């Protein structure tokens, strides 16, 4: 049950919107096109299985893992603060 000014299921709608936003963001970041034969960062060969699984891939698994650790995704806070709801 939703509370305040929200309709029943409002919280679930927010959760669903957040998941959909995350999926769309991830899909937009997927590589496409011709895969590189060697990694753009370390010049090692990119295995055929990786190139077939991810068309357009430009990095080897090790370099991509390092890039993923550095990448931070900014989130959207759909909840707002309680103060803003009381105004």
């Amino acid at each position: 049950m939703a509370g305040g000014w929200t309709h029943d299921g409002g919280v679930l709608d927010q959760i669903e919107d957040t998941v959909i936003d995350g999926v769309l963001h991830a899909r937009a970041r997927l590589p496409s096109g011709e895969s590189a034969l060697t990694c753009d960062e370390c010049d090692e060969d990119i295995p055929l299985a990786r190139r077939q699984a991810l068309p357009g891939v430009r990095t080897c698994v090790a370099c991509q893992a390092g890039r993923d650790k550095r990448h931070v995704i900014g989130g959207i806070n759909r909840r707002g603060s309680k103060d803003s709801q009381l105004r």
Side-chain angles (χ1 to χ4, degrees), residues 11-68:
V11 173
L12 293 176
D13 290 344
Q14 289 179 345
I15 293 169
E16 184 178 346
D17 288 344
T18 301
V19 170
I20 289 171
D21 287 347
V23 169
L24 293 175
H25 180 74
R27 284 184 181 165
R29 292 182 43 232
L30 284 174
S32 61
E34 186 81 20
S35 294
L37 297 176
T38 59
C39 179
D40 286 349
E41 294 185 18
C42 70
D43 243 5
E44 291 291 321
D45 289 339
I46 299 174
L48 177 61
R50 178 167 170 76
R51 294 192 318 258
Q52 289 174 338
L54 291 170
V57 72
R58 308 295 304 170
T59 57
C60 67
V61 174
C63 290
Q64 186 62 48
R67 293 173 99 188
D68 290 346

